[in-house]
Amino acid sequence: MPSVLSSRDKILDVGESLFARRGYAGVGMREVAQLSGLGKSSLFHHFRGKGQLYAEVRIRTLKRIRDALAPFLTLETAPLEALEEGMCALIDSFAEHPTSARLLLRGLVEEEIFSGESPPELEEAEQILAELLDDLSELIERGVKAGELRAVAVPDTMQSLIGLVAYHFASGAMGERILGEALFSSSAVRRRKREVVNFIREGLRAPRSDRDEEREDPT
Amino acid sequence: MPSVLSSRDKILDVGESLFARRGYAGVGMREVAQLSGLGKSSLFHHFRGKGQLYAEVRIRTLKRIRDALAPFLTLETAPLEALEEGMCALIDSFAEHPTSARLLLRGLVEEEIFSGESPPELEEAEQILAELLDDLSELIERGVKAGELRAVAVPDTMQSLIGLVAYHFASGAMGERILGEALFSSSAVRRRKREVVNFIREGLRAPRSDRDEEREDPT
DNA sequence: TTCCGGATCGACCGGTCGGTCGGGTGATGC
DNA sequence: GCATCACCCGACCGACCGGTCGATCCGGAA
């Protein structure tokens, strides 16, 4: 690990910051080059093009998120506890890398980014994300079956969790206006973590005297 | 109300659809013109430029959201009930206008869209949004003080609600992958509404035997 | 010393961007 | 008949876009 970043890592850092703030179409390679302290041509030595740079940035952030979540997606912990601690770890990861949540949310919301064909690296990113979401789904599923969680619809609950957790760290100026505080100040992050975890626990756990109640299934 | 849309409305419709899908920077005026069935120059007869078109689109969608929510932001209903019914109405509005949630979320997440100065109309949009969020904050505040809601931190809960509700209708292909179903099919919308409202009710309401318990305040 | 290949750069390319301009067209009022 | 006006268009502009090319620099292996 060099104390000064390699040019490639520097480009990835700059790209991550810019793509998170302005989205794929809003970022120009000239700006990436300038903020990286390189000539524009040099970018194309390290990456095949803008599309690959974007894909590599997404892969890096998704791997960061996966690594933060992985310890809690095993079968060793009780589902509700694993869910709570996993979300805590996720929030810590978002707080440590302020661009992650935005980039994640962008990747989930954005569509039709590439006019022609998309770079092959993007599929790797999609796969990392898909596996992560599948593992998380499985965790919720286990929680419901074990009776720790309410009889929620698993896919919709997945979506709820994503929006609930990620948006907090992706909201921009309006979010700070609502909070009346910097989005990533340590006090704000601590409070947010408590509030989100409480929300999830109260919102999803099964009522106390609800051990072996059968689920409603009105399909 | 003419049965055929005026050119201005047609442009707004096309712009709304495109901006929601690809963001401000990802949309070109040529494309807006073509999909509107007009020459590019004609757009500049109805709007001062791309920036104003974007601002007008945002204003229109924000007003739609405000109108859907307004009936439940009065002081006449019990806060928790008003919150639940308001979120229901919001979801109905999102379902009716599939671009609204994306555009809302984009406006909240996006930053530094305009390189130069931003069009004055954007301030009107920001103000509509700010008022809406203030009213919603007040509703939650009342709910907490009335003891109907848990002793949550109001701003963070605001953020939670935004992410929780809006993301469901803004998620793209990956959202449909998770659901295994079209995002706006009537059955998916119905199920989602039930799940979200349940999540909010269970997550925010005060425990039954918790009438006049004092809040913890460990600051 | 020579050579080589990674890294960097400035100059340049075709194409697209938002926006302008001048003119055309068809209703409306006089 | 004529001026006015909203509306619409094709042609055009300078700026910027992503990307290419050939030259140069430089550290390490031979």
Side-chain angles (χ1 to χ4, degrees):
Chain A
M1 192 192 308
S3 67
V4 294
L5 264 47
S6 73
S7 285
R8 191 171 201 278
D9 288 337
K10 180 67 181 169
I11 296 169
L12 282 171
D13 285 351
V14 171
E16 181 172 329
S17 159
L18 289 179
F19 285 135
R21 287 214 295 274
R22 294 211 278 278
Y24 182 75
V27 176
M29 294 298 267
R30 282 164 178 81
E31 192 180 5
V32 176
Q34 193 176 349
L35 291 179
S36 303
L38 292 172
K40 182 169 70 77
S41 323
S42 302
L43 303 188
F44 294 89
H45 173 73
H46 296 280
F47 301 93
R48 213 179 314 110
K50 188 184 176 183
Q52 196 206 348
L53 172 57
Y54 177 73
E56 300 275 6
V57 165
R58 284 208 44 188
I59 289 174
R60 216 176 52 153
T61 67
L62 287 174
K63 280 185 177 172
R64 229 153 43 194
I65 293 173
R66 183 191 59 187
D67 293 348
L69 233 34
F72 306 96
L73 294 176
T74 65
L75 296 170
E76 297 168 4
T77 322
L80 180 56
E81 189 184 337
L83 185 62
E84 289 180 23
E85 292 182 5
M87 292 302 111
C88 270
L90 183 58
I91 289 174
D92 285 334
S93 175
F94 285 160
E96 189 179 356
H97 303 278
T99 58
S100 289
R102 274 197 196 186
L103 227 32
L104 172 67
L105 220 47
R106 271 191 198 280
L108 288 165
V109 169
E110 222 115 356
E111 262 171 0
E112 305 180 29
I113 298 191
F114 299 97
S115 46
E117 72 265 30
S118 49
E121 287 83 358
L122 252 191
E123 286 187 29
E124 185 184 342
E126 297 297 322
Q127 196 180 339
I128 294 175
L129 183 55
E131 283 178 17
L132 191 57
L133 295 177
D134 284 347
D135 289 350
L136 201 50
S137 285
E138 203 182 326
L139 176 62
I140 298 176
E141 182 95 43
R142 279 196 293 127
V144 172
K145 283 191 174 153
E148 292 188 14
L149 267 43
R150 283 174 31 230
V152 295
V154 176
D156 300 79
T157 303
M158 280 291 305
Q159 294 270 85
S160 292
L161 287 175
I162 295 171
L164 177 54
V165 177
Y167 172 71
H168 275 279
F169 295 86
S171 65
M174 190 57 73
E176 301 205 333
R177 202 198 100 98
I178 293 176
L179 287 178
E181 191 177 0
L183 212 58
F184 288 92
S185 80
S186 66
S187 68
V189 170
R190 221 177 314 123
R191 176 164 34 81
R192 203 173 314 159
K193 191 195 292 187
R194 180 182 6 113
E195 292 291 330
V196 169
V197 170
N198 282 346
F199 199 156
I200 293 175
R201 182 191 309 124
E202 298 299 323
L204 294 186
R205 77 171 166 195
R208 266 164 295 255
S209 57
D210 202 30
R211 276 284 190 271
D212 42 11
E213 205 171 42
E214 51 189 351
R215 259 160 283 139
E216 53 188 342
D217 192 21
T219 43
Chain B
M1 189 192 311
S3 68
V4 294
L5 264 48
S6 72
S7 285
R8 193 171 200 277
D9 288 337
K10 179 66 182 171
I11 296 169
L12 282 170
D13 285 350
V14 170
E16 181 172 329
S17 159
L18 289 179
F19 284 135
R21 286 214 295 272
R22 295 210 277 277
Y24 182 76
V27 175
M29 293 299 266
R30 282 166 178 79
E31 193 180 3
V32 175
Q34 193 176 350
L35 291 179
S36 303
L38 293 173
K40 182 167 71 78
S41 323
S42 302
L43 304 188
F44 295 88
H45 173 75
H46 297 279
F47 301 93
R48 214 180 312 111
K50 186 183 176 184
Q52 195 206 348
L53 172 58
Y54 178 73
E56 300 275 8
V57 165
R58 283 207 45 190
I59 290 174
R60 216 175 54 151
T61 66
L62 286 174
K63 281 186 177 171
R64 231 157 36 198
I65 293 172
R66 183 192 59 188
D67 293 347
L69 234 33
F72 306 95
L73 294 176
T74 65
L75 296 171
E76 297 168 4
T77 322
L80 180 55
E81 189 185 335
L83 185 62
E84 288 181 21
E85 290 182 4
M87 292 302 109
C88 270
L90 183 58
I91 289 175
D92 285 334
S93 175
F94 284 161
E96 189 179 356
H97 303 277
T99 58
S100 288
R102 274 197 195 186
L103 227 32
L104 172 67
L105 220 47
R106 272 191 197 280
L108 287 165
V109 168
E110 222 117 354
E111 260 172 1
E112 305 178 29
I113 297 191
F114 299 97
S115 46
E117 72 264 32
S118 49
E121 286 83 359
L122 252 192
E123 287 187 28
E124 184 185 343
E126 296 298 320
Q127 196 180 339
I128 294 175
L129 183 55
E131 283 178 16
L132 190 59
L133 295 176
D134 284 348
D135 290 349
L136 201 51
S137 285
E138 204 182 325
L139 176 63
I140 298 176
E141 181 95 44
R142 280 198 292 125
V144 172
K145 281 189 176 154
E148 291 187 13
L149 267 44
R150 282 174 31 231
V152 295
V154 176
D156 299 79
T157 304
M158 279 291 304
Q159 294 270 87
S160 292
L161 287 176
I162 296 171
L164 177 54
V165 178
Y167 171 71
H168 275 280
F169 295 86
S171 65
M174 190 56 74
E176 302 206 332
R177 203 200 99 98
I178 293 176
L179 287 178
E181 191 177 1
L183 213 56
F184 288 92
S185 79
S186 66
S187 68
V189 170
R190 221 178 313 123
R191 176 164 34 81
R192 204 173 311 157
K193 191 195 289 189
R194 177 181 10 112
E195 292 291 329
V196 169
V197 170
N198 282 346
F199 199 157
I200 291 175
R201 181 193 307 124
E202 298 298 323
L204 293 186
R205 76 170 167 198
R208 267 162 293 256
S209 56
D210 202 29
R211 276 284 189 271
D212 43 11
E213 205 171 44
E214 52 189 350
R215 261 160 279 139
E216 53 187 345
D217 192 19
T219 44

